[in-house]
Amino acid sequence: MEDKNIHSKIIKQVCKEILIPLGVFQKGTSRLYLDDNGYFFTVIEFQPSNWDRGTYLNIGLTFLWDYNQSDILYFDFSRQPTARYGKFVEYKNETQFKKEIINLANIAKEEILFYRKLRDIEFAKDYMTSYIEKFNDNKYSRFGLACANICALNGDMESAKFYYENYHKEQNTAEQMNYKNLSKEYLNSNIKSTRKMWHSKSSMKKMPFSKIYDS
């Protein structure tokens, strides 16, 4: 009799071979794999279906400056619409499925390595602001708020206020604007608090310690 969870076991094994050696870690026993980049996680999700054995691949960034003690990993930014990479991969047989999961894992590897460049906040600011200008509507999304924070971390307060104000005006929350939220001290404090919260989770025992944010 075929193991009903063979598809999940294949995903885990392939990730162990391709992603774990990069320094990525699995969140508990879930299909979530995280790359810790200090002020953000790159989140790799092998999302199951309610109908068929198989997986979707979702990849995006969760920024850690929004401290609210929530253990939900949002996709604050992704280079793909809705953070979805490709189509659903259905399990048909072991050989077919493993081959397709290797392809997905290699896509995830490329994205992980690219997103690591954003550890350099100067590079992050240049990339994010350039990206957001190509897709103007993003100025008013959650990503617009992320751009404001990255600009603030770089000391570019003029750009930070621009994205911050556009975001709140579009969301009809202008009355909630508080420019103190754009200070480096405030953002770094939130990052440290959020990381402390994540470190306290039993599913995050493999999360690395940051010399900058966990000291």
Side-chain angles (χ1 to χ4, degrees), residues 36-39 192 195 199 208-215:
D36 184 2
N37 293 285
Y39 71 96
K192 290 179 179 181
R195 290 184 63 86
H199 275 299
F209 280 81
S210 167
K211 293 180 180 180
I212 298 173
Y213 298 108
D214 294 329
S215 57

PDB file of all heavy atoms in Angstrom, residues 36-39 192 195 199 208-215:
ATOM      1  N   ASP A  36      16.663  33.428   7.465  1.00  0.00           N
ATOM      2  CA  ASP A  36      16.727  34.551   8.405  1.00  0.00           C
ATOM      3  C   ASP A  36      17.720  35.590   7.894  1.00  0.00           C
ATOM      4  O   ASP A  36      18.913  35.320   7.757  1.00  0.00           O
ATOM      5  CB  ASP A  36      17.156  34.029   9.776  1.00  0.00           C
ATOM      6  CG  ASP A  36      17.147  35.118  10.839  1.00  0.00           C
ATOM      7  OD1 ASP A  36      16.775  36.269  10.519  1.00  0.00           O
ATOM      8  OD2 ASP A  36      17.526  34.825  11.979  1.00  0.00           O
ATOM      9  N   ASN A  37      17.217  36.779   7.617  1.00  0.00           N
ATOM     10  CA  ASN A  37      18.044  37.869   7.107  1.00  0.00           C
ATOM     11  C   ASN A  37      18.074  39.064   8.052  1.00  0.00           C
ATOM     12  O   ASN A  37      18.214  40.205   7.620  1.00  0.00           O
ATOM     13  CB  ASN A  37      17.536  38.294   5.726  1.00  0.00           C
ATOM     14  CG  ASN A  37      17.732  37.210   4.687  1.00  0.00           C
ATOM     15  OD1 ASN A  37      18.831  36.974   4.217  1.00  0.00           O
ATOM     16  ND2 ASN A  37      16.651  36.512   4.347  1.00  0.00           N
ATOM     17  N   GLY A  38      17.940  38.810   9.329  1.00  0.00           N
ATOM     18  CA  GLY A  38      18.057  39.880  10.315  1.00  0.00           C
ATOM     19  C   GLY A  38      16.774  40.645  10.499  1.00  0.00           C
ATOM     20  O   GLY A  38      16.010  40.387  11.433  1.00  0.00           O
ATOM     21  N   TYR A  39      16.505  41.572   9.600  1.00  0.00           N
ATOM     22  CA  TYR A  39      15.295  42.385   9.731  1.00  0.00           C
ATOM     23  C   TYR A  39      14.122  41.839   8.918  1.00  0.00           C
ATOM     24  O   TYR A  39      13.037  42.411   8.923  1.00  0.00           O
ATOM     25  CB  TYR A  39      15.577  43.855   9.370  1.00  0.00           C
ATOM     26  CG  TYR A  39      15.837  44.144   7.906  1.00  0.00           C
ATOM     27  CD1 TYR A  39      14.809  44.578   7.070  1.00  0.00           C
ATOM     28  CD2 TYR A  39      17.116  44.023   7.362  1.00  0.00           C
ATOM     29  CE1 TYR A  39      15.042  44.862   5.735  1.00  0.00           C
ATOM     30  CE2 TYR A  39      17.361  44.320   6.028  1.00  0.00           C
ATOM     31  CZ  TYR A  39      16.330  44.732   5.224  1.00  0.00           C
ATOM     32  OH  TYR A  39      16.566  45.022   3.903  1.00  0.00           O
ATOM     33  N   LYS A 192      13.906  43.873  17.058  1.00  0.00           N
ATOM     34  CA  LYS A 192      14.454  43.087  18.170  1.00  0.00           C
ATOM     35  C   LYS A 192      13.341  42.403  18.960  1.00  0.00           C
ATOM     36  O   LYS A 192      13.468  41.228  19.341  1.00  0.00           O
ATOM     37  CB  LYS A 192      15.281  43.987  19.085  1.00  0.00           C
ATOM     38  CG  LYS A 192      16.590  44.457  18.462  1.00  0.00           C
ATOM     39  CD  LYS A 192      17.368  45.360  19.403  1.00  0.00           C
ATOM     40  CE  LYS A 192      18.677  45.809  18.777  1.00  0.00           C
ATOM     41  NZ  LYS A 192      19.454  46.676  19.694  1.00  0.00           N
ATOM     42  N   ARG A 195      11.861  39.535  16.858  1.00  0.00           N
ATOM     43  CA  ARG A 195      12.772  38.392  16.837  1.00  0.00           C
ATOM     44  C   ARG A 195      12.731  37.647  18.177  1.00  0.00           C
ATOM     45  O   ARG A 195      12.758  36.413  18.210  1.00  0.00           O
ATOM     46  CB  ARG A 195      14.198  38.844  16.518  1.00  0.00           C
ATOM     47  CG  ARG A 195      14.381  39.321  15.070  1.00  0.00           C
ATOM     48  CD  ARG A 195      15.841  39.650  14.797  1.00  0.00           C
ATOM     49  NE  ARG A 195      16.663  38.455  14.943  1.00  0.00           N
ATOM     50  CZ  ARG A 195      16.875  37.562  13.981  1.00  0.00           C
ATOM     51  NH1 ARG A 195      16.311  37.734  12.782  1.00  0.00           N
ATOM     52  NH2 ARG A 195      17.633  36.513  14.194  1.00  0.00           N
ATOM     53  N   HIS A 199      11.835  33.764  18.607  1.00  0.00           N
ATOM     54  CA  HIS A 199      12.755  32.842  19.274  1.00  0.00           C
ATOM     55  C   HIS A 199      12.054  32.054  20.383  1.00  0.00           C
ATOM     56  O   HIS A 199      12.480  30.952  20.730  1.00  0.00           O
ATOM     57  CB  HIS A 199      13.943  33.606  19.866  1.00  0.00           C
ATOM     58  CG  HIS A 199      15.058  33.846  18.902  1.00  0.00           C
ATOM     59  ND1 HIS A 199      15.764  32.822  18.291  1.00  0.00           N
ATOM     60  CD2 HIS A 199      15.612  35.006  18.443  1.00  0.00           C
ATOM     61  CE1 HIS A 199      16.690  33.339  17.501  1.00  0.00           C
ATOM     62  NE2 HIS A 199      16.622  34.645  17.573  1.00  0.00           N
ATOM     63  N   PRO A 208      18.349  31.112  13.645  1.00  0.00           N
ATOM     64  CA  PRO A 208      19.677  31.596  14.048  1.00  0.00           C
ATOM     65  C   PRO A 208      19.589  32.824  14.949  1.00  0.00           C
ATOM     66  O   PRO A 208      18.563  33.514  14.996  1.00  0.00           O
ATOM     67  CB  PRO A 208      20.335  31.963  12.715  1.00  0.00           C
ATOM     68  CG  PRO A 208      19.533  31.279  11.671  1.00  0.00           C
ATOM     69  CD  PRO A 208      18.139  31.209  12.196  1.00  0.00           C
ATOM     70  N   PHE A 209      20.679  33.102  15.647  1.00  0.00           N
ATOM     71  CA  PHE A 209      20.769  34.318  16.442  1.00  0.00           C
ATOM     72  C   PHE A 209      21.542  35.371  15.658  1.00  0.00           C
ATOM     73  O   PHE A 209      22.545  35.081  15.012  1.00  0.00           O
ATOM     74  CB  PHE A 209      21.456  34.045  17.784  1.00  0.00           C
ATOM     75  CG  PHE A 209      20.529  33.438  18.800  1.00  0.00           C
ATOM     76  CD1 PHE A 209      20.245  32.088  18.780  1.00  0.00           C
ATOM     77  CD2 PHE A 209      19.907  34.239  19.754  1.00  0.00           C
ATOM     78  CE1 PHE A 209      19.371  31.530  19.690  1.00  0.00           C
ATOM     79  CE2 PHE A 209      19.020  33.680  20.672  1.00  0.00           C
ATOM     80  CZ  PHE A 209      18.760  32.322  20.648  1.00  0.00           C
ATOM     81  N   SER A 210      21.049  36.587  15.709  1.00  0.00           N
ATOM     82  CA  SER A 210      21.665  37.702  15.012  1.00  0.00           C
ATOM     83  C   SER A 210      22.527  38.518  15.959  1.00  0.00           C
ATOM     84  O   SER A 210      22.077  38.892  17.040  1.00  0.00           O
ATOM     85  CB  SER A 210      20.563  38.605  14.410  1.00  0.00           C
ATOM     86  OG  SER A 210      21.101  39.842  13.990  1.00  0.00           O
ATOM     87  N   LYS A 211      23.764  38.772  15.568  1.00  0.00           N
ATOM     88  CA  LYS A 211      24.648  39.600  16.390  1.00  0.00           C
ATOM     89  C   LYS A 211      24.127  41.028  16.506  1.00  0.00           C
ATOM     90  O   LYS A 211      24.395  41.716  17.484  1.00  0.00           O
ATOM     91  CB  LYS A 211      26.052  39.620  15.773  1.00  0.00           C
ATOM     92  CG  LYS A 211      26.764  38.278  15.823  1.00  0.00           C
ATOM     93  CD  LYS A 211      28.151  38.381  15.202  1.00  0.00           C
ATOM     94  CE  LYS A 211      28.868  37.034  15.238  1.00  0.00           C
ATOM     95  NZ  LYS A 211      30.220  37.128  14.622  1.00  0.00           N
ATOM     96  N   ILE A 212      23.374  41.452  15.511  1.00  0.00           N
ATOM     97  CA  ILE A 212      22.854  42.825  15.496  1.00  0.00           C
ATOM     98  C   ILE A 212      21.554  42.942  16.291  1.00  0.00           C
ATOM     99  O   ILE A 212      21.406  43.840  17.111  1.00  0.00           O
ATOM    100  CB  ILE A 212      22.615  43.304  14.046  1.00  0.00           C
ATOM    101  CG1 ILE A 212      23.932  43.322  13.270  1.00  0.00           C
ATOM    102  CG2 ILE A 212      21.957  44.702  14.049  1.00  0.00           C
ATOM    103  CD1 ILE A 212      23.751  43.628  11.796  1.00  0.00           C
ATOM    104  N   TYR A 213      20.628  42.020  16.044  1.00  0.00           N
ATOM    105  CA  TYR A 213      19.277  42.186  16.578  1.00  0.00           C
ATOM    106  C   TYR A 213      18.950  41.297  17.781  1.00  0.00           C
ATOM    107  O   TYR A 213      17.951  41.524  18.460  1.00  0.00           O
ATOM    108  CB  TYR A 213      18.250  41.912  15.488  1.00  0.00           C
ATOM    109  CG  TYR A 213      18.339  42.875  14.319  1.00  0.00           C
ATOM    110  CD1 TYR A 213      18.843  42.454  13.086  1.00  0.00           C
ATOM    111  CD2 TYR A 213      17.940  44.195  14.457  1.00  0.00           C
ATOM    112  CE1 TYR A 213      18.920  43.330  12.018  1.00  0.00           C
ATOM    113  CE2 TYR A 213      18.034  45.083  13.404  1.00  0.00           C
ATOM    114  CZ  TYR A 213      18.522  44.649  12.176  1.00  0.00           C
ATOM    115  OH  TYR A 213      18.609  45.524  11.124  1.00  0.00           O
ATOM    116  N   ASP A 214      19.777  40.310  18.082  1.00  0.00           N
ATOM    117  CA  ASP A 214      19.481  39.409  19.188  1.00  0.00           C
ATOM    118  C   ASP A 214      20.441  39.575  20.364  1.00  0.00           C
ATOM    119  O   ASP A 214      20.444  38.759  21.270  1.00  0.00           O
ATOM    120  CB  ASP A 214      19.527  37.947  18.708  1.00  0.00           C
ATOM    121  CG  ASP A 214      18.419  37.624  17.718  1.00  0.00           C
ATOM    122  OD1 ASP A 214      17.344  38.240  17.830  1.00  0.00           O
ATOM    123  OD2 ASP A 214      18.637  36.780  16.839  1.00  0.00           O
ATOM    124  N   SER A 215      21.235  40.607  20.328  1.00  0.00           N
ATOM    125  CA  SER A 215      22.218  40.804  21.406  1.00  0.00           C
ATOM    126  C   SER A 215      21.541  41.380  22.638  1.00  0.00           C
ATOM    127  O   SER A 215      20.480  41.982  22.568  1.00  0.00           O
ATOM    128  CB  SER A 215      23.313  41.746  20.935  1.00  0.00           C
ATOM    129  OG  SER A 215      22.784  42.986  20.507  1.00  0.00           O
TER     130      SER A 215
END
